[in-house]
Amino acid sequence: MSLPFGTPPSGVSLTPFKVSIPKAKISELRTLLEVARFAPHTYENSQTDRRYGVGTDWLVTMRDLWLRSYKWNASEDRINSFPQFEAEVEGITIHFVSLFSQKKDAVPLLLLHGWPGSFLEFLPILQKFREEYTPETLPYHLIVPSLPGYAFSSGPPLDRDFGTGDIARVLDQLMKDLGFGDGYVAQGGDIGSRIARHLAVDHESCKGKSCPFLLPAESSGRSQYSLSPVNVVFMRKPEGVTDEHLNAFEIQGIERMQNFVATGSGYAIEHGTRPSTIGHVVASSPIALLAWVGEKFCEWVDDPLSPDDILESITLYWLTDTFPRAIYTYRQNYPPPPIPAANDPRWFIKKPLGFSSFPMELARLPRSWVEMTGNLVFWQQHQKGGHFAALERPDELKSDLVKFVDQIWPDVKSTS
């Protein structure tokens, strides 16, 4: 018997999915945590402000909570309370969480995570939708896939290159297979934003894009930013745009981006230039994974996340071997393209573009800059929130999604 919201559109046959991690794998994780070694004390890892990365005290405390209080079984139950399915596209198994509506005019929404995220980020928003609506009244179909290589989706092909354009093609086909070939809206943050840009520009079925973050570009020069081994240029100031009309908040956002480039982007260079090496290192120990990924869940947020939220994501990554399978998209940044695609008219989004701006985002760009990247029809500046917007501020992001869809959907449907 399917869960509420678990009935796909008429005529679509799907394979239901349920998370069930073998007990032996949970036991192995516990053993590895119990016997884990920590680095000797140094000046750098003794700092509590994370100026040099996560400190020893935080790492030891989180390890102890992982062993004593966090329960994966509770996470499994929460995940399994949502309808999940598997679908095969181009030989890749795509896992996705969904809320299907029974309304004939429901709007399909594709919600895309990034790194070091997962489908878990969107569960709070899905929870709010299912509390507010019934399957008969839900105005949307909400589809949250695990990107290829993440969580319960299979990895990209081993015999050929595979990038964000390929991910977009696979996910566009998934949406068509679900019966949404007439149109859908894509929302994405981090890498998901880059995939959403591909969908908006390259695929006719995607009718609009909503995003809280715009990411570094791939080597083709057809994405959002440029990333260099020496310096990260998240977005070159568009020609014809000056700083004279920027307010203090916008100037602070640019400074935040510059600080991130200077002191927080080393991980991306490692992912992009030596993904095999860092993949082996981080996959060798749950403590290594906790340090490498946990740092981002501490640094890239506004208000601190709960230890259980962090440990749930880290545990999912460990139990599904996500990390080494998921960092392949960073290779697209090397060598860096000569022109950031934000300045490239080939990647200007002509379809409706919405932007949710959160103050503690890594690159909090001025509206005047974002307007140069696409047909910006919706902009919302928030007072709280960071990089993991769906997890940190689900009410605000949900509200933005609803407003954006209400604004654009009648128009895009009338022109389809």
Side-chain angles (χ1 to χ4, degrees):
M1 184 176 180
S2 66
L3 294 169
F5 302 99
T7 303
S10 178
V12 176
S13 179
L14 292 172
T15 302
F17 181 86
K18 184 177 181 180
V19 178
S20 182
I21 300 296
K23 291 182 179 179
K25 205 158 189 177
I26 304 293
S27 178
E28 178 192 55
L29 171 58
R30 185 172 187 85
T31 298
L32 291 172
L33 290 173
E34 289 171 342
V35 302
R37 291 184 60 191
F38 294 90
H41 284 291
T42 65
Y43 171 78
E44 291 82 6
N45 66 32
S46 299
Q47 306 305 308
T48 59
D49 59 3
R50 295 189 300 275
R51 75 183 78 170
Y52 302 117
V54 294
T56 300
D57 287 349
W58 181 85
L59 206 56
V60 171
T61 297
M62 290 296 286
R63 189 280 303 264
D64 291 346
L65 290 173
W66 210 348
L67 280 170
R68 296 173 186 170
S69 64
Y70 172 74
K71 304 298 182 185
W72 170 254
N73 287 343
S75 292
E76 257 192 22
D77 291 342
R78 184 171 79 100
I79 295 168
N80 287 331
S81 73
F82 294 91
Q84 300 171 82
F85 300 92
E86 287 182 329
E88 196 85 5
V89 182
E90 296 186 9
I92 298 174
T93 299
I94 299 296
H95 159 264
F96 62 95
V97 184
S98 62
L99 295 182
F100 287 120
S101 173
Q102 298 306 301
K103 288 173 65 67
K104 291 184 178 180
D105 60 349
V107 181
L109 302 182
L110 178 66
L111 308 179
L112 302 172
H113 66 80
W115 188 92
S118 69
F119 71 90
L120 291 175
E121 290 177 59
F122 289 100
L123 296 189
I125 287 181
L126 296 188
Q127 175 66 22
K128 291 180 180 300
F129 274 113
R130 73 177 180 181
E131 288 174 353
E132 183 176 353
Y133 297 101
T134 67
E136 292 73 28
T137 62
L138 181 65
Y140 318 100
H141 301 289
L142 296 125
I143 312 299
V144 184
S146 297
L147 301 182
Y150 288 76
F152 304 106
S153 288
S154 62
L158 299 179
D159 59 350
R160 58 184 172 86
D161 203 3
F162 192 87
T164 50
D166 299 294
I167 299 173
R169 185 184 65 253
V170 167
L171 295 183
D172 180 67
Q173 187 59 52
L174 171 67
M175 295 299 280
K176 290 176 180 176
D177 292 345
L178 292 175
F180 306 138
D182 287 343
Y184 60 88
V185 174
Q187 185 278 336
D190 195 84
I191 292 166
S193 173
R194 189 188 310 174
I195 296 166
R197 181 165 289 266
H198 278 285
L199 289 168
V201 173
D202 287 341
H203 299 277
E204 184 58 33
S205 294
C206 182
K207 302 300 182 181
K209 174 193 174 185
S210 171
C211 63
F213 181 62
L214 299 174
L215 249 214
E218 55 203 36
S219 60
S220 67
R222 296 186 65 196
S223 192
Q224 184 57 39
Y225 303 112
S226 170
L227 179 58
S228 161
V230 178
N231 189 29
V232 185
V233 183
F234 283 88
M235 182 178 177
R236 180 184 300 168
K237 183 191 300 183
E239 292 184 12
V241 174
T242 68
D243 291 343
E244 63 177 301
H245 297 300
L246 296 182
N247 58 39
F249 184 78
E250 291 173 321
I251 292 172
Q252 290 170 1
I254 296 173
E255 291 174 349
R256 176 169 172 77
M257 177 180 66
Q258 293 170 340
N259 290 336
F260 169 74
V261 168
T263 64
S265 61
Y267 79 96
I269 297 174
E270 183 71 18
H271 287 188
T273 60
R274 292 294 184 267
S276 177
T277 301
I278 193 62
H280 282 300
V281 170
V282 174
S284 68
S285 162
I287 295 300
L289 179 65
L290 176 61
W292 193 261
V293 174
E295 176 192 270
K296 312 312 178 201
F297 284 114
C298 293
E299 286 290 303
W300 295 357
V301 297
D302 195 342
D303 294 330
L305 296 174
S306 73
D308 271 7
D309 279 338
I310 297 174
L311 290 173
E312 183 175 65
S313 289
I314 303 294
T315 305
L316 176 70
Y317 263 49
W318 180 263
L319 295 177
T320 58
D321 299 311
T322 285
F323 180 82
R325 301 188 302 127
I327 57 175
Y328 56 94
T329 58
Y330 284 84
R331 288 189 292 101
Q332 299 175 194
N333 299 319
Y334 299 91
I339 302 174
N343 306 90
D344 189 339
R346 293 176 298 172
W347 277 90
F348 184 90
I349 295 179
K350 297 178 181 178
K351 297 170 184 176
L353 168 65
F355 199 95
S356 300
S357 180
F358 292 88
M360 295 304 289
E361 183 52 273
L362 306 181
R364 193 179 76 224
L365 301 176
R367 177 172 181 165
S368 58
W369 291 23
V370 177
E371 287 175 332
M372 304 298 288
T373 73
N375 176 26
L376 186 68
V377 300
F378 176 88
W379 173 276
Q380 183 64 56
Q381 179 65 61
H382 294 283
Q383 300 306 308
K384 297 285 292 184
H387 186 67
F388 304 99
L391 184 61
E392 297 177 65
R393 314 300 295 184
D395 285 312
E396 289 88 336
L397 191 58
K398 174 178 176 288
S399 175
D400 288 357
L401 276 169
V402 170
K403 292 176 182 176
F404 176 68
V405 172
D406 286 349
Q407 178 178 334
I408 72 159
W409 194 251
D411 292 334
V412 299
K413 288 301 289 183
S414 65
T415 59
S416 296

